[in-house]
């Protein structure tokens, strides 16, 4: 934490939607004897005693089955509408249900990230507290692998000199014009770890002030958001700033497919 920086007091909201096109009932998938959504919440709660931050963790669910599973394991959960168009809409409703003030900080941790590092959650919240000129904060880490750099499923982000996001894309950005083989460039910039001029993989964790989170779903969808299928581009398109915390460490495996689920299950069996 930087000198004179206050430890953030914030709420982690974990949106949980029962329906999933690729992995039905994903929040309730078993991981070592507990539902995945419970594992995510408990992971984020795991170092609260050691953390300098004050962190409340709440699951925002669209199903009473998810709420019941959370309550069974001592995880706070609230019921939200089941017809929200996006996770942001669900989080905005949760802010209202929890009666959170406009200036309170909320961190969105996805319900399929059972290996999320709690320290990274703290860092993203602390960054937003520090950067009053940003409406959101997020995270990224250096890419050192050409396959990841060229993979459209790996979202990249480019930063300005003040560590604000310039653009997010599924395309390989920034593209080195004079290096058909990007491997040396990627390895060198990944080793520096500062994100300046190198390729960064975006990590899908966000902190918001509640006022902006309530505003965000009312903003018109951006053409670039629709083209890239990246919701965070809506904020940039409307002129809002997103501060980016660069970590040297890649996040743990998320669960998008059955193969991901089996891989993470093996970790919980160790």
């Amino acid at each position: 934490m930087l000198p004179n920086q206050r430890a953030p007091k914030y709420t982690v909201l974990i949106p949980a939607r029962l329906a999933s096109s690729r992995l039905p009932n994903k929040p309730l998938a078993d991981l070592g004897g507990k539902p995945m959504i419970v594992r995510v919440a408990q992971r984020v709660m795991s170092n609260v005693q050691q953390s300098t931050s004050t962190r409340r963790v709440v699951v925002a669910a669209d199903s009473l089955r998810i709420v019941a599973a959370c309550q069974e394991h001592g995880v706070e959960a609230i019921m939200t509408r089941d017809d929200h168009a996006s996770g942001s809409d669900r989080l905005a409703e949760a802010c209202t249900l929890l009666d959170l003030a406009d200036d309170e900080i909320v961190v969105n941790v996805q319900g399929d990230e059972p290996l999320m590092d709690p320290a990274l959650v703290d860092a993203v919240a602390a960054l937003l507290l520090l950067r009053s000129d940003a409406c959101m904060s997020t995270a990224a880490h250096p890419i050192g692998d050409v396959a990841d750099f060229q993979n459209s499923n790996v979202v990249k982000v480019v930063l300005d000199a003040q560590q604000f996001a310039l653009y997010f894309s599924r395309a390989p950005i920034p593209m080195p014009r004079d290096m058909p083989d990007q491997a040396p460039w990627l390895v060198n910039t990944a080793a520096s770890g500062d994100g300046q001029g190198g390729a960064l993989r975006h990590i899908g964790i966000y902190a918001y002030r509640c006022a902006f989170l309530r505003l965000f779903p009312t903003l018109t969808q951006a053409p670039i958001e629709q083209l890239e299928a990246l919701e965070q581009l809506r904020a940039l398109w409307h002129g809002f700033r997103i501060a980016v915390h660069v970590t040297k460490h890649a996040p743990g495996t998320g669960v998008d497919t059955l193969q991901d689920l089996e891989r993470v299950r093996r970790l919980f069996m160790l």
Side-chain angles (χ1 to χ4, degrees):
M1 186 169 292
L2 297 175
N4 301 320
Q5 182 181 343
R6 290 186 292 129
K9 177 181 179 181
Y10 66 94
T11 299
V12 175
L13 291 179
I14 307 173
R17 180 171 169 265
L18 201 59
S20 172
S21 57
R22 286 188 288 183
L23 199 56
N25 298 326
K26 183 164 62 170
L28 300 179
D30 181 81
L31 290 180
K34 294 181 181 179
M36 178 160 55
I37 191 63
V38 170
R39 289 291 188 186
V40 174
Q42 290 181 338
R43 172 78 174 181
V44 177
M45 295 162 60
S46 63
N47 74 341
V48 169
Q49 298 303 317
Q50 293 77 32
S51 174
T52 57
S53 303
T54 304
R55 188 189 315 134
R56 178 186 184 186
V57 180
V58 183
V59 172
D62 74 342
S63 165
L64 289 174
R65 292 175 60 194
I66 297 174
V67 173
C70 290
Q71 291 175 341
E72 181 181 351
H73 294 277
V75 173
E76 185 177 0
I78 56 173
M79 184 67 186
T80 57
R81 287 168 28 205
D82 63 2
D83 60 349
H84 284 305
S86 70
S88 300
D89 295 89
R90 190 172 311 286
L91 296 184
E93 182 190 358
C95 285
T96 300
L97 293 174
L98 294 171
D99 197 27
L100 300 181
D102 281 350
D103 62 349
E104 289 193 52
I105 290 176
V106 164
V107 180
N108 176 9
V109 173
Q110 298 301 319
D112 56 7
E113 296 281 353
L115 303 179
M116 175 59 67
D117 182 359
L120 182 61
V121 183
D122 277 350
V124 171
L127 179 60
L128 187 59
L129 183 69
L130 179 69
R131 303 300 297 265
S132 60
D133 47 355
C135 65
M136 293 172 58
S137 60
T138 188
H141 72 89
I143 298 175
D145 182 80
V146 173
D148 282 347
F149 184 57
Q150 296 175 337
N151 185 348
S152 62
N153 291 318
V154 173
V155 177
K156 276 70 68 174
V157 59
V158 174
L159 309 184
D160 68 12
Q162 296 179 313
Q163 300 289 91
F164 287 112
L166 285 171
Y167 192 67
F168 297 86
S169 182
R170 299 182 182 279
I173 57 171
M175 171 60 75
R177 185 192 66 177
D178 298 325
M179 288 187 185
D181 179 3
Q182 294 95 6
W185 170 72
L186 286 170
V187 171
N188 291 338
T189 54
S192 70
D194 60 5
Q196 290 299 321
L200 292 172
R201 178 177 188 161
H202 178 233
I203 302 171
I205 178 174
Y206 301 95
Y208 313 81
R209 291 182 181 84
C210 283
F212 180 74
L213 185 51
R214 291 185 175 105
L215 171 67
F216 184 80
T218 72
L219 298 175
T220 306
Q221 279 196 326
I224 54 174
E225 169 192 357
Q226 295 171 319
L227 285 170
E228 296 259 20
L230 296 174
E231 192 178 49
Q232 65 269 32
L233 288 173
R234 187 185 313 178
L236 297 184
W237 192 76
H238 283 279
F240 296 99
R241 306 181 86 180
I242 303 175
V244 181
H245 169 76
V246 177
T247 174
K248 293 184 178 181
H249 307 292
T253 303
V255 179
D256 291 317
T257 66
L258 184 59
Q259 291 74 24
D260 294 336
L261 179 60
E262 293 304 326
R263 182 164 56 251
V264 173
R265 273 178 174 159
R266 287 194 290 271
L267 294 176
F268 280 93
M269 294 173 63
L270 296 177

